[in-house]
Amino acid sequence: MTAIFSNFSELLIYLIIIIIAFFLVVAFLTFFRWFLSRRSYDSHQVFLVRLPKEKSDDEKKEFGEQLLKEEIAKGETLFAAVGGLPAEKGWRAWFFGRRDQFSFEIVASANRIAFYVVAPPNSARYLEQQINAYYPEALIEEVSDYNAFSREGQIAAASLKTIKNSVFPIKTYQKMAVDPMNSLINVLSKLEKEESLAVQYTVRSARGSWHSRSRRIVNKINQKNSVKEGLRSASTLGIFLDFFHGLQPEKSRSENNRDFVQERANKKLSAVEEEILKSIEEKNLKAGLDVNIRIISCAKTKERAKAYLENIGSVYTEYNNYSYGNVFSRVKFSNMERTIHDFIYRRFRASASFLLNSEELASLFHFPLRTTETPNILWLTAKTAPAPAEVPDEGISLGKNTYRGVHKEIRMKRADRRRHSYIIGKSGTGKSVLLANMAIQDIQNGEGVCVIDPHGDLIGDILDRLPTERLDDVIIFSPADLERPLALNLLDYDPRYPEQKSFVINEMIGIFDKLYDLKATGGPMFEQYMRNAMLLIMDDPESGSTLMEIPKVLADEDFRRFKLSRCHNQTVVDFWRKEAEKAGGEAALANIVPYITSKLTSFISNDMMRPIIGQQKSAFNLREVMDKQKILLVDLPKGLVGEMNAYLLGMILVGKILMAALSRADAPAESRKDFYLYIDEFQNFTTNSICQVLSEARKYALNLIIAHQYIGQLSKGQNTEIKDAVFGNVGTFVNFKVGAEDAEFLIKEFEPVFSEYDLINVDKGTAYIKLLVDNSTLRPFSLQTIWPLLGVKQEGLAARVRSLSRLKYGQNVRLVEAEISRRAALKL
């Protein structure tokens, strides 16, 4: 007996030890699981989602209740896709926690309301594709995680959930006449500076058992003919009681069943209960999702932060389905620290979750509708469009096209660049950056380049990134360098090409007409005397043929007679001897000379301009610059050079480059090397000869890249010749942000892909491009220009290159002034 008792005691001790060990293992596993779960939610990808706001007048009129529901239904389809994902199962999901949750968030901070979606890395691409499928115009950008909290502010956090059994539905958008999210967005829009509010919906697909549970409840309600009894019977306790009921003697069960059948026959569901049953069945037809709702506010005081949460909580009462369904609880402030931690790491907490189907969740969260007029929503200001497959893989890089997470580099072939490129956009939108990147690539590729810069920054960026092997090719024409000016004889031409004389003269008259609007102030008389004066002095370059000689030939009779004695153009001689010198009245030289010289004095008496235009031989030959692929950088900052001076020199250089290009007719086409002429604010440096450049220069391998701010700059009064030439001949169009008037004109080039609204609101550094490829224009698409600039910036390089150029091509200003004075004092 003692032995038996002893064995039983030992057995009991072993049993107690085993039980204690079991509980310790369970406790350890539970703790370890909790520990891992707290550390396993820091890996996720955050996406900012923006949709276009624009809508036509017709859309505004047609956007009724039915269309509103169709728009919200897109969100329902998105959540149906998420709810359709298989729920993670198995020991790994139990031990490490499920990692298949997504987060949909509305954040009001810094005077803007933004919509974010957050996904685990392995599901981020899937979610992005789903959003793109149902919102094709949405821009989804992966961003760094936002911070909705201010250091100085007080933070409050709360959670929300439904009160009743999750099989009961809340009120959805299908039962509402307006957007159910309007009230929430309005609360988010009424924050003060430094305040923020965030609403987070952390969701994951519900296990499929919820459908069977819902069906069981419906069956029980039908059996009991009572919603209350059906719910009780379908509960865990009810199932347990039914089990024991099944253990009763068969006779007793039969008697009870007869009583139950008789009682049910006498009882029927009320109309309200039938509606409840119907709503439960309808909810069960759609995909289910487990949901956590968290709200975080940051304000100056704790009380104010809590008040915001109360306001948000009251918004959810409009989803309460008092008659046939579920209702939301009041906001719960319990355990704020844990709520904030869960918010930051997007942790799904099962104890705070409840179940919604895709329709219910879409009612709580969907991306803003185009009809939403609440201010501060972060809309997509302009659409993006994919690059066509025909975009080449060779040539210089213009930037990249990003569409739905796919990046494609945009390149432009050499042959297509010969049809010229036109860039338009407001100041500060990125035109100069694009020009700089294109020019830097051309220089790195050993091409001949000329850049005309009216500001100075563009050339500075290029000089900082010059390849060392090309330093000797650089010519910097900078009128602001007063010590060693580079000569530019405005009337210089190559005697081998006599036709250049007429081109130079016509260009000079066109330039002065543009500078002084001669047609409105006696143009024919000015043109007649100016043309004959230039013809006279250019017929004998040895005795001086610069702008300095024009006033002298008009006012100095002895000098004019000397020039006439060496002139071989009888028509010019007859004009001066038989017409100009003998004319009287208003046409007399005494009256004409001051009118003409007044247009020249501002240049020839200017200490900056005189040493440049007063030298007989230009410092560089533009035909050689083109053929030997030199780098000519024309630095014309209007603030230093003066507006009129910059325009005169720029127009002269553009005309001379065209003249040099046309002279290439004497060389075989295959030997003409491409030369790239970049002109920023080009309308200031062109006369009507630009029309000839655009139509003919391609044959002579002169390729234009021109940029300016608005189309009105291309017209003068009723003269639209330059504008017509640009839009009639340019091959590639690049459109940065423009004004409404320009958008109305340019939309003809970019529709139907983009609207006027897009052209007006495109982001800085982004453009719309209509690219020419193999002489065919592609469908327009969006382009993100390259930033930062290509090439490595080398400190001090710009100064060294400037010094080298001025020593090679410039002349000491004192020697230049001495030569000009000598010619002026020469007695003939």
Side-chain angles (χ1 to χ4, degrees), residues 528-530 532-533 570-582:
Q528 184 183 30
Y529 277 83
M530 187 72 171
N532 281 281
Q570 190 59 43
T571 303
V572 175
V573 172
D574 289 344
F575 170 78
W576 287 106
R577 288 180 174 169
K578 297 179 180 179
E579 185 174 344
E581 293 180 351
K582 294 182 178 180

Side-chain angles (χ1 to χ4, degrees), residues 424-432 455 680-681 708-710 713 736-739 742 764-765:
I424 185 171
K426 290 183 176 182
S427 177
T429 55
K431 301 188 303 297
S432 296
H455 307 297
D680 195 7
E681 304 299 342
H708 72 127
Q709 294 180 8
Y710 58 94
Q713 295 171 320
F736 289 88
K737 179 184 289 190
V738 297
D742 289 345
K764 178 181 178 181

